[in-house]
Amino acid sequence: MAMAESSFAGSTPSGADLQRHFGASAADNITGYRSFEAGSFKFRRDEYFAHIQWPGGIHQMPIDVFLRALMRDVAWGFFYGTVNFDTVFGTINYYGEVDMFAGKTNEAFTSVGRDFTERFQSDELMATFKDMVSDWTNEGYDPFAAPQETGVPWGSKNGDNEEAISRERVTAKRMVGLPGDTPVRTDDNGFPVNRMFADVEQDQPEFNVEPGFEDEFSAFNLFSYLSRSDVTWNPSVCSVVNESLFCPTSEEFILPVEHGNDRCEWFLQLSDEIIWTIKDGSTGRYRAQVIAKAGDICCMPADIRHQGFSNKRSMLLVWENGSPKIPDLIREGKAPNVAVQF
Ligand SMILES: [Fe+2]
């Protein structure tokens, strides 16, 4: 689920004109928040809601739901495929360009021609998204955190939380713990064990390396590593073998987006339980409920969207094939939507 550092320049297949209009207002006299514009989309927040407007439609989302989703879209660089903030609004990543839409993945809109999409250069839309999450996040509220571990986002403008929203996500070049790569988490480098993983053993594997291979070998306790994650629903690249990316993450409460894959995505439930709601990627029709218990493995097809619910903080290993060729191969019918055919 997390993108590797390398990406490539793609363009949206829509062929629509690139939108180059971006704007931001001064702070509102009543709420203290700024409003933002990107293309024909307008964004405004008040005490409880984000308000989104486009030619022919308006939409509201609770501000906590909107900020958690916006934070993921920013942190993940628009991610793989579709990030549905909810059933109406979202973005589709073409890796260099991005579509922003209202209703495009909801057949109640598409069936009557009321969906609306605009095309942007990714870095330009990202700048506005970053400004928005920065201005709309108040002091004490962390959109990465589980609800029990953070303050509330409600009310008029009250300070900010730049430290929380500008976290660097983990993207190992080879593997966590290797020389020069992202470090193993410890008490000393700011990653105490989370309250829900107090029972996770913290021992580390013992290994002895043949002289000359010190830069090539490492091992670490992944359960310990995940027990020390300070964020939820934020898969990070912890090992890389060519295009094969292991992206483990800790999960509590709700995946803040309905993620619409543009490729297959493997989920290995390492601890506890996540309930997944699976919907059709294009229409939003319900397709399945999957209850994943510790040790279960499932593979999300490339044509669905999924949202997870984790009551007890749990550990999930997401396994991605990061090849940039896959979305086109699937669109052209040259690669299947499923990883295995029996
Ligand atoms: Fe996903």
Side-chain angles (χ1 to χ4, degrees), residues 126 256 298 313 328:
M126 181 56 70
C298 59
R313 199 176 186 97
D328 281 341

Side-chain angles (χ1 to χ4, degrees), residues 67-98:
L67 286 176
R68 283 196 295 266
L70 180 64
M71 185 74 262
R72 278 23 177 230
D73 219 12
V74 167
W76 301 341
F78 297 118
F79 213 23
Y80 291 114
T82 306
V83 172
N84 296 287
F85 283 42
D86 63 358
T87 56
V88 175
F89 177 78
T91 58
I92 304 177
N93 194 359
Y94 294 99
Y95 313 99
E97 293 181 359
V98 60

Side-chain angles (χ1 to χ4, degrees), residues 1 259 261 265 267 306:
M1 286 164 63
H259 178 220
N261 309 0
E265 191 174 37
F267 290 164
H306 52 269

Side-chain angles (χ1 to χ4, degrees), residues 25 63 78 81 85 90 106 116 119 133 154 158 171 187 194 216 218 223 228 241 260 299 331:
S25 74
I63 193 62
F78 297 118
F85 283 42
N106 182 326
F116 183 80
R119 174 187 172 208
V133 77
W154 322 119
N158 174 31
T171 50
D187 286 342
N194 182 268
E216 307 298 327
S218 183
F223 288 91
R228 295 171 178 276
V241 179
C299 182
R331 271 193 287 271

